[in-house]
Amino acid sequence: MDHPLPQLNQLFDYRIPVELLDDVVPGCRVTVRFSNRKLKGTVLAVRDRAEFAGKILPILDVVPPGPVLTPEVAALAQRIADRYAGNLADVLRLALPERKVRVEKEPPGERLPVAAPPLDHWDRYNAGEAFLRALRAGKAPRIAWSAVPGEDWAARLAEAAAAAAAAGRGALLVVPDQYDLERLDRALTAVLGPDRHVTIANSTGPTPRYRSFLKALRGEVRIVAGTQVAMFAPVADLGLVAVWDDGDKNLVSLHAPYPHAREVLLTRAELAGAACIVGGFARTAQAQLLVETGWAVSAPGRREALRAASPRVVPIGDDADLAADPSSSTARLPSVAWEAARKALAADLPVLLQVPRRGYVPAVSCQRCRSRAMCPECTGPLRLTGPRRPPVCTWCGRVDDPHRCAECGSNRIRAVVIGAARTAEEIASAFPGVEVVESNASERLDAIPAGARVVVSTPGVEPVAPQGYGAVLLVDTWAQLTRAELTASEEALRIWMNAVALCAPTGTAVVTADGGLPVVQALIRWDAAWFAGQELEDRRELGFPPVMRFAALTGPIGEAEKLAADLPGDLGAEAIGPIPVDEHTERLLLRVRRRDGAALAATLAKATAERSSAKAEQVRIQIDPREIA
């Protein structure tokens, strides 16, 4: 039933009128009357007799084009609702796209054959060739794949999908964003041929999304690629699921019950007996847990492949660096970074400079007392939007002109964080005559032409260079490493490896961080699996995810504590907090052993339904939230 109330998270019986007997089948959408309102619902089962003893209302109408919910996706939706303490109706809204009548009238297409792919590219990885052979034989291998630098990951995923299709099974590939999807779309077309796959993403609009959904539902194509909205796509005879760069936050749904695409795909692999790839240049602690529990096999690059593909990675901050260049510990771009950039530009190769923050100067402080510059109106942080411009509030947009420090009265300010725009300005002054371009979330460059230029980019939007970058410079690394988040080091390594992977094998990557740090060592050795193992062991000792299961309860002050106090004692839930979110809202964390995660989710779902029936203040529940700080 399409109803948001938690207490209505149950199945309802309706009578099938004689005139609709042939049309009402499991998986179809229907119109029913509920509480004097017409609502849409999905038929999950048809039985000879009802379990409800009271008056049973009739189904009013059947919504074309017939069954849209496959049995596999229906079972998956229930499992995901249970895992995330959510409503089945909410999950079905994620699974079933908006209907477009015009698309339903389009004639169906013919499914085209797919040839088996070659094995030669996957032989660069431990267990890679064996994985592809098992796929071609119709088996269900599972790997945690760590790609070597410069790898055409989209082509490798396309080859895996082709292997599954050649064995008569389907494939579902999920990537973090539209740019990754466009790259994967091109690779699938090149490997499979045209019209043998579809893509599903919100960015394409509701009509193309519904068209792709119907093509997959009708079995016209066996291969679906998409962003996280494609995780419930109705792929026939599912034989392979794959998620790329599973640490990216874009893979978490923004809608209740906030499932992570990786967890949805892992569940699908279990239900369908399908093969699985959890891949990326880096590796998350969650993926490492799959390896350590024996659920998946680790597939890193072979030693000779890593040697051939890896650029030289140079850290900054050890004793040798300080002896050679005493200013390297404080310089934003030490001499070794400048030298690497000059060498690349002289060879007519581009240079990539990764900056953690976009904007001009995203944060400023008082020049005299070093107090953070805050807005006198709303106390939000101030920033600079350009040279010789007054500070502007990040929250309310108020221009603070003239600015006076609230602590000492000084009108002088200094930069705390330098953004990409200001960095591009500095680089242009340092390299006159060299083109300097910027790539950020609002103005992203997908690729750049060959030739010498400097690209200043924020993490995650680095453009691809035709022959790779001659130098990759990772600056202001403290901004990632000092974040007060559980995944700070893991996320830093992920965005660094994604950037260094774009460097040419003959190039140099400079990371402005101490080479003794484990995260920097992992980058130098290109050993994400080792670092993920270290992270997992640390979290095991501290009792953090993914070894433990967490739930975040967010609501009006006092309400999260009331909900937690009503939980049964034998659940063993440990409360952490609450901590204030704002003046009206607080957040409470609950921690249980991993094996008790399902019981915690079921208990929270029941408590939420009871609170809703009692018209109590609602508390938002997130199972395994990305941020637990």
Side-chain angles (χ1 to χ4, degrees):
M1 190 76 66
D2 289 351
H3 205 294
L5 295 179
Q7 65 267 34
L8 298 180
N9 183 34
Q10 57 181 297
L11 302 183
F12 293 90
D13 288 338
Y14 280 87
R15 177 169 53 83
I16 304 175
V18 175
E19 63 272 18
L20 297 178
L21 277 176
D22 294 335
D23 298 325
V24 177
V25 294
C28 74
R29 301 278 286 169
V30 294
T31 303
V32 297
R33 189 170 297 282
F34 186 88
S35 187
N36 294 322
R37 294 171 56 195
K38 283 187 178 181
L39 295 179
K40 293 286 192 304
T42 306
V43 177
L44 297 181
V46 176
R47 299 191 178 98
D48 294 335
R49 58 178 58 87
E51 297 179 357
F52 181 62
K55 181 181 178 182
I56 301 178
L57 298 176
I59 291 174
L60 300 179
D61 197 7
V62 176
V63 180
V68 292
L69 183 66
T70 65
E72 186 251 335
V73 175
L76 172 69
Q78 186 61 67
R79 285 277 292 270
I80 296 303
D82 293 342
R83 187 196 189 285
Y84 286 94
N87 295 343
L88 178 59
D90 287 336
V91 180
L92 290 179
R93 271 192 287 272
L94 298 177
L96 302 177
E98 179 185 351
R99 182 190 176 209
K100 295 296 176 182
V101 177
R102 180 169 59 84
V103 176
E104 295 170 355
K105 298 177 180 178
E106 296 174 357
E110 179 184 359
R111 188 167 67 198
L112 301 174
V114 175
L119 302 176
D120 53 341
H121 295 296
W122 276 93
D123 64 4
R124 298 203 295 169
Y125 299 93
N126 293 331
E129 191 174 352
F131 172 79
L132 216 61
R133 278 201 306 265
L135 265 181
R136 290 171 60 171
K139 298 179 181 179
R142 301 161 180 166
I143 60 171
W145 173 40
S146 299
V148 300
E151 179 63 275
D152 188 351
W153 58 265
R156 302 294 83 78
L157 290 182
E159 289 163 0
R169 305 194 69 181
L172 174 58
L173 316 174
V174 176
V175 294
D177 57 42
Q178 181 63 30
Y179 290 91
D180 288 333
L181 181 57
E182 290 172 1
R183 182 173 176 179
L184 181 56
D185 182 28
R186 293 191 295 268
L188 286 167
T189 301
V191 172
L192 307 174
D195 302 323
R196 287 167 171 82
H197 76 282
V198 293
T199 61
I200 295 179
N202 273 339
S203 57
T204 59
T207 298
R209 180 184 173 186
Y210 191 57
R211 181 179 292 113
S212 295
F213 173 84
L214 287 184
K215 283 181 177 291
L217 179 69
R218 293 166 177 166
E220 297 174 30
V221 295
R222 285 189 180 272
I223 298 172
V224 175
T227 56
Q228 53 92 6
V229 298
M231 57 190 169
F232 292 100
V235 179
D237 301 317
L238 186 64
L240 170 68
V241 296
V243 58
W244 173 256
D245 201 11
D246 66 298
D248 195 302
K249 65 181 179 180
N250 289 325
L251 292 169
V252 180
S253 175
L254 299 177
H255 303 285
Y258 316 105
H260 194 297
R262 178 191 57 239
E263 303 307 317
V264 173
L265 295 183
L266 295 180
T267 305
R268 292 196 77 164
E270 287 280 3
L271 291 174
C276 180
I277 301 174
V278 180
F281 291 111
R283 182 178 294 182
T284 60
Q286 287 85 348
Q288 184 63 22
L289 183 62
L290 298 177
V291 174
E292 295 192 7
T293 56
W295 194 90
V297 173
S298 181
R302 297 185 188 277
R303 187 182 300 274
E304 58 273 17
L306 284 174
R307 279 200 297 264
S310 298
R312 176 171 172 254
V313 178
V314 181
I316 297 298
D318 57 21
D319 293 341
D321 292 324
L322 292 175
D325 181 9
S327 66
S328 64
S329 62
T330 56
R332 189 162 182 246
L333 270 180
S335 57
V336 66
W338 289 111
E339 184 58 35
R342 290 191 189 96
K343 183 179 178 181
L345 294 172
D348 200 31
L349 291 173
V351 173
L352 173 64
L353 199 153
Q354 187 192 74
V355 182
R357 300 280 295 274
R358 66 176 181 173
Y360 192 75
V361 179
V364 293
S365 65
C366 176
Q367 178 71 36
R368 179 188 295 171
C369 70
R370 298 298 195 264
S371 297
R372 187 71 179 266
M374 311 301 284
C375 174
E377 187 72 25
C378 70
T379 70
L382 296 179
R383 61 188 174 94
L384 297 180
T385 59
R388 295 179 295 280
R389 293 182 184 175
V392 177
C393 178
T394 302
W395 292 358
C396 69
R398 180 183 184 271
V399 178
D400 188 25
D401 189 21
H403 168 75
R404 291 285 177 182
C405 176
E407 298 295 328
C408 68
S410 172
N411 64 350
R412 300 185 65 188
I413 57 176
R414 64 188 294 271
V416 174
V417 178
I418 296 178
R422 173 59 182 163
T423 302
E425 201 175 82
E426 293 175 350
I427 293 296
S429 299
F431 294 105
V434 176
E435 181 185 10
V436 178
V437 295
E438 184 182 349
S439 179
N440 55 52
S442 58
E443 297 179 354
R444 177 171 181 167
L445 300 176
D446 191 20
I448 59 169
R453 61 180 44 78
V454 178
V455 179
V456 179
S457 174
T458 49
V461 294
E462 299 89 349
V464 176
Q467 285 84 40
Y469 288 93
V472 172
L473 314 179
L474 308 174
V475 303
D476 298 342
T477 55
W478 56 267
Q480 283 111 7
L481 295 175
T482 59
R483 287 183 307 160
E485 295 180 9
L486 172 67
T487 60
S489 295
E490 180 184 279
E491 177 67 4
L493 182 60
R494 187 185 73 84
I495 63 177
W496 294 348
M497 293 186 89
N498 286 349
V500 174
L502 300 174
C503 191
T506 56
T508 301
V510 179
V511 52
T512 57
D514 188 345
L517 295 174
V519 64
V520 180
Q521 281 294 307
L523 179 67
I524 294 171
R525 305 202 311 257
W526 202 262
D527 197 348
W530 169 78
F531 183 77
Q534 296 280 358
E535 277 282 294
L536 192 58
E537 185 58 35
D538 290 343
R539 296 186 197 183
R540 185 176 284 114
E541 292 181 8
L542 297 171
F544 284 141
V547 181
M548 302 285 281
R549 294 291 295 276
F550 272 64
L553 280 56
T554 308
I557 291 178
E559 294 302 320
E561 293 174 278
K562 290 180 185 177
L563 192 156
D566 292 337
L567 298 179
D570 59 0
L571 188 60
E574 177 188 357
I576 303 174
I579 58 174
V581 176
D582 54 41
E583 57 182 331
H584 304 295
T585 311
E586 67 181 11
R587 191 169 187 251
L588 179 71
L589 294 175
L590 296 177
R591 175 168 58 184
V592 298
R593 294 169 297 184
R594 187 168 184 83
R595 67 180 183 221
D596 295 326
L600 174 65
T603 304
L604 289 175
K606 181 180 178 182
T608 300
E610 291 173 350
R611 288 176 60 86
S612 181
S613 295
K615 298 187 179 343
E617 293 276 4
Q618 287 301 298
V619 175
R620 186 178 71 171
I621 295 173
Q622 290 176 278
I623 301 294
D624 291 341
R626 179 178 170 84
E627 290 86 18
I628 66 170

